[in-house]
Tab-separated table of all heavy atoms in Angstrom:
chain	number	residue	atom	x	y	z
J	2	ASN	N	-4.713	-14.215	20.467
J	2	ASN	CA	-5.489	-14.737	21.570
J	2	ASN	C	-4.733	-15.798	22.339
J	2	ASN	O	-3.921	-16.541	21.784
J	2	ASN	CB	-6.795	-15.353	21.034
J	2	ASN	CG	-7.651	-14.325	20.335
J	2	ASN	OD1	-7.989	-13.323	20.939
J	2	ASN	ND2	-7.971	-14.544	19.084
J	8	LYS	N	-4.046	-27.511	15.051
J	8	LYS	CA	-3.203	-28.029	13.977
J	8	LYS	C	-3.962	-27.966	12.664
J	8	LYS	O	-4.995	-28.596	12.491
J	8	LYS	CB	-2.773	-29.468	14.278
J	8	LYS	CG	-1.727	-29.994	13.304
J	8	LYS	CD	-1.213	-31.363	13.721
J	8	LYS	CE	-0.130	-31.853	12.758
J	8	LYS	NZ	0.393	-33.184	13.162
J	18	GLN	N	-13.070	-20.306	-3.883
J	18	GLN	CA	-13.333	-19.155	-4.747
J	18	GLN	C	-12.165	-18.917	-5.710
J	18	GLN	O	-11.003	-19.055	-5.340
J	18	GLN	CB	-13.545	-17.898	-3.902
J	18	GLN	CG	-14.715	-17.983	-2.954
J	18	GLN	CD	-16.030	-18.161	-3.678
J	18	GLN	OE1	-16.409	-17.328	-4.485
J	18	GLN	NE2	-16.719	-19.252	-3.395
J	21	ARG	N	-9.240	-13.569	-8.088
J	21	ARG	CA	-9.313	-12.695	-9.261
J	21	ARG	C	-8.666	-11.350	-8.997
J	21	ARG	O	-9.293	-10.403	-8.503
J	21	ARG	CB	-10.780	-12.518	-9.689
J	21	ARG	CG	-11.461	-13.830	-10.070
J	21	ARG	CD	-12.831	-13.595	-10.639
J	21	ARG	NE	-12.775	-12.878	-11.924
J	21	ARG	CZ	-13.837	-12.525	-12.621
J	21	ARG	NH1	-15.049	-12.793	-12.172
J	21	ARG	NH2	-13.702	-11.888	-13.768
J	37	ARG	N	-0.036	-19.529	4.105
J	37	ARG	CA	1.047	-20.419	4.539
J	37	ARG	C	1.448	-20.172	5.981
J	37	ARG	O	1.940	-21.069	6.660
J	37	ARG	CB	2.266	-20.235	3.627
J	37	ARG	CG	2.096	-20.853	2.245
J	37	ARG	CD	3.272	-20.513	1.341
J	37	ARG	NE	3.177	-21.207	0.067
J	37	ARG	CZ	3.866	-20.868	-1.023
J	37	ARG	NH1	4.697	-19.826	-0.978
J	37	ARG	NH2	3.735	-21.563	-2.149
J	52	VAL	N	-11.479	-8.807	7.908
J	52	VAL	CA	-12.345	-7.661	7.635
J	52	VAL	C	-11.653	-6.769	6.608
J	52	VAL	O	-10.458	-6.498	6.734
J	52	VAL	CB	-12.615	-6.855	8.920
J	52	VAL	CG1	-13.602	-5.723	8.636
J	52	VAL	CG2	-13.131	-7.753	10.023
J	59	SER	N	-9.229	-5.522	-0.808
J	59	SER	CA	-10.384	-5.850	0.021
J	59	SER	C	-11.163	-7.066	-0.460
J	59	SER	O	-12.147	-7.464	0.168
J	59	SER	CB	-11.311	-4.628	0.126
J	59	SER	OG	-10.648	-3.590	0.825
J	64	TYR	N	-11.048	-15.129	-0.105
J	64	TYR	CA	-10.052	-16.150	-0.423
J	64	TYR	C	-9.466	-16.826	0.812
J	64	TYR	O	-8.564	-17.654	0.697
J	64	TYR	CB	-8.931	-15.523	-1.259
J	64	TYR	CG	-9.437	-14.747	-2.453
J	64	TYR	CD1	-8.892	-13.519	-2.813
J	64	TYR	CD2	-10.501	-15.238	-3.223
J	64	TYR	CE1	-9.359	-12.813	-3.909
J	64	TYR	CE2	-10.992	-14.535	-4.313
J	64	TYR	CZ	-10.415	-13.319	-4.657
J	64	TYR	OH	-10.896	-12.621	-5.735
J	72	THR	N	-16.589	-4.866	3.940
J	72	THR	CA	-17.403	-3.751	4.431
J	72	THR	C	-17.389	-2.578	3.457
J	72	THR	O	-17.210	-2.760	2.255
J	72	THR	CB	-16.923	-3.324	5.828
J	72	THR	OG1	-15.620	-2.717	5.742
J	72	THR	CG2	-16.845	-4.516	6.757
J	99	ASP	N	-3.759	1.582	0.673
J	99	ASP	CA	-3.327	2.944	0.984
J	99	ASP	C	-4.445	3.953	0.749
J	99	ASP	O	-4.544	4.950	1.460
J	99	ASP	CB	-2.088	3.336	0.171
J	99	ASP	CG	-2.194	2.982	-1.309
J	99	ASP	OD1	-2.405	1.801	-1.603
J	99	ASP	OD2	-2.042	3.875	-2.163
J	109	HIS	N	-10.735	6.660	10.816
J	109	HIS	CA	-11.072	5.402	11.487
J	109	HIS	C	-9.808	4.613	11.844
J	109	HIS	O	-9.736	3.983	12.900
J	109	HIS	CB	-11.998	4.578	10.603
J	109	HIS	CG	-13.268	5.284	10.257
J	109	HIS	ND1	-14.335	5.369	11.130
J	109	HIS	CD2	-13.629	5.986	9.152
J	109	HIS	CE1	-15.309	6.068	10.567
J	109	HIS	NE2	-14.904	6.451	9.373
J	130	TYR	N	-4.544	4.241	-6.705
J	130	TYR	CA	-5.865	3.616	-6.638
J	130	TYR	C	-5.964	2.637	-7.804
J	130	TYR	O	-6.109	3.051	-8.955
J	130	TYR	CB	-6.972	4.665	-6.748
J	130	TYR	CG	-7.307	5.366	-5.460
J	130	TYR	CD1	-6.852	6.650	-5.195
J	130	TYR	CD2	-8.098	4.739	-4.502
J	130	TYR	CE1	-7.172	7.298	-4.007
J	130	TYR	CE2	-8.432	5.378	-3.312
J	130	TYR	CZ	-7.954	6.657	-3.079
J	130	TYR	OH	-8.278	7.287	-1.902
J	133	THR	N	-10.136	1.668	-9.005
J	133	THR	CA	-10.858	2.723	-9.725
J	133	THR	C	-10.015	3.350	-10.827
J	133	THR	O	-10.202	4.501	-11.189
J	133	THR	CB	-11.362	3.790	-8.738
J	133	THR	OG1	-10.289	4.201	-7.885
J	133	THR	CG2	-12.498	3.253	-7.894
J	135	GLY	N	-6.450	3.870	-11.431
J	135	GLY	CA	-5.169	4.559	-11.442
J	135	GLY	C	-5.114	6.005	-11.018
J	135	GLY	O	-4.190	6.730	-11.407
J	136	GLN	N	-6.060	6.472	-10.198
J	136	GLN	CA	-5.936	7.829	-9.659
J	136	GLN	C	-4.818	7.857	-8.600
J	136	GLN	O	-4.473	6.833	-8.022
J	136	GLN	CB	-7.251	8.286	-9.027
J	136	GLN	CG	-8.409	8.384	-9.995
J	136	GLN	CD	-9.187	7.097	-10.093
J	136	GLN	OE1	-8.696	6.034	-9.715
J	136	GLN	NE2	-10.400	7.160	-10.623
J	138	SER	N	-3.112	8.336	-5.022
J	138	SER	CA	-3.610	8.003	-3.681
J	138	SER	C	-2.879	8.827	-2.632
J	138	SER	O	-1.952	9.581	-2.964
J	138	SER	CB	-3.407	6.505	-3.410
J	138	SER	OG	-2.075	6.255	-2.976
J	185	ASN	N	7.552	-14.038	8.495
J	185	ASN	CA	8.070	-13.777	9.841
J	185	ASN	C	7.484	-12.499	10.418
J	185	ASN	O	7.242	-12.405	11.632
J	185	ASN	CB	9.601	-13.685	9.814
J	185	ASN	CG	10.254	-15.019	9.521
J	185	ASN	OD1	9.718	-16.066	9.866
J	185	ASN	ND2	11.410	-14.992	8.882
J	248	ARG	N	27.107	12.132	15.140
J	248	ARG	CA	27.627	12.749	16.376
J	248	ARG	C	28.339	14.074	16.129
J	248	ARG	O	28.557	14.842	17.066
J	248	ARG	CB	28.547	11.759	17.083
J	248	ARG	CG	27.843	10.449	17.450
J	248	ARG	CD	28.691	9.542	18.306
J	248	ARG	NE	28.047	8.251	18.511
J	248	ARG	CZ	27.078	8.017	19.387
J	248	ARG	NH1	26.640	9.002	20.155
J	248	ARG	NH2	26.538	6.812	19.501
J	254	LEU	N	20.066	15.243	15.419
J	254	LEU	CA	19.547	13.940	15.852
J	254	LEU	C	19.069	13.131	14.649
J	254	LEU	O	17.898	12.808	14.490
J	254	LEU	CB	18.390	14.110	16.855
J	254	LEU	CG	17.959	12.825	17.609
J	254	LEU	CD1	19.111	12.283	18.427
J	254	LEU	CD2	16.758	13.081	18.486
J	266	TRP	N	31.620	-3.440	13.702
J	266	TRP	CA	30.545	-2.446	13.669
J	266	TRP	C	30.551	-1.544	14.902
J	266	TRP	O	30.113	-0.396	14.850
J	266	TRP	CB	29.192	-3.131	13.506
J	266	TRP	CG	28.857	-4.162	14.544
J	266	TRP	CD1	29.123	-5.480	14.509
J	266	TRP	CD2	28.197	-3.916	15.799
J	266	TRP	NE1	28.668	-6.110	15.644
J	266	TRP	CE2	28.092	-5.166	16.446
J	266	TRP	CE3	27.672	-2.790	16.417
J	266	TRP	CZ2	27.495	-5.299	17.700
J	266	TRP	CZ3	27.073	-2.921	17.650
J	266	TRP	CH2	26.988	-4.165	18.289
J	281	LEU	N	13.775	5.968	17.906
J	281	LEU	CA	14.513	5.238	16.880
J	281	LEU	C	13.578	4.760	15.780
J	281	LEU	O	13.919	4.805	14.593
J	281	LEU	CB	15.254	4.051	17.507
J	281	LEU	CG	16.037	3.152	16.547
J	281	LEU	CD1	17.122	3.953	15.826
J	281	LEU	CD2	16.648	1.966	17.294
J	285	LEU	N	13.880	5.567	11.771
J	285	LEU	CA	14.014	4.540	10.739
J	285	LEU	C	12.964	4.670	9.643
J	285	LEU	O	13.261	4.489	8.458
J	285	LEU	CB	13.932	3.155	11.386
J	285	LEU	CG	15.123	2.759	12.267
J	285	LEU	CD1	14.805	1.501	13.078
J	285	LEU	CD2	16.375	2.549	11.421
J	303	ASP	N	6.183	-2.473	21.306
J	303	ASP	CA	6.208	-2.144	22.734
J	303	ASP	C	4.779	-2.222	23.263
J	303	ASP	O	4.049	-1.241	23.266
J	303	ASP	CB	6.788	-0.741	22.940
J	303	ASP	CG	7.010	-0.424	24.408
J	303	ASP	OD1	7.083	-1.361	25.228
J	303	ASP	OD2	7.131	0.777	24.734
J	317	GLU	N	-16.845	-5.206	33.826
J	317	GLU	CA	-16.984	-6.173	34.917
J	317	GLU	C	-17.033	-5.475	36.273
J	317	GLU	O	-17.815	-5.849	37.154
J	317	GLU	CB	-15.825	-7.170	34.871
J	317	GLU	CG	-15.886	-8.119	33.682
J	317	GLU	CD	-14.642	-8.986	33.565
J	317	GLU	OE1	-13.655	-8.700	34.285
J	317	GLU	OE2	-14.654	-9.935	32.754
J	318	GLU	N	-16.192	-4.443	36.439
J	318	GLU	CA	-16.173	-3.709	37.701
J	318	GLU	C	-17.460	-2.940	37.920
J	318	GLU	O	-18.007	-2.903	39.036
J	318	GLU	CB	-14.966	-2.765	37.733
J	318	GLU	CG	-13.619	-3.478	37.808
J	318	GLU	CD	-12.457	-2.515	37.701
J	318	GLU	OE1	-12.691	-1.326	37.363
J	318	GLU	OE2	-11.305	-2.936	37.949
Side-chain angles (χ1 to χ4, degrees):
N2 298 303
K8 189 174 182 179
Q18 299 298 301
R21 299 187 66 181
R37 286 174 174 163
V52 184
S59 294
Y64 309 138
T72 69
D99 46 303
H109 301 281
Y130 277 102
T133 50
Q136 297 90 342
S138 82
N185 291 330
R248 301 188 186 280
L254 192 61
W266 56 270
L281 178 61
L285 291 168
D303 188 20
E317 290 173 349
E318 292 174 349

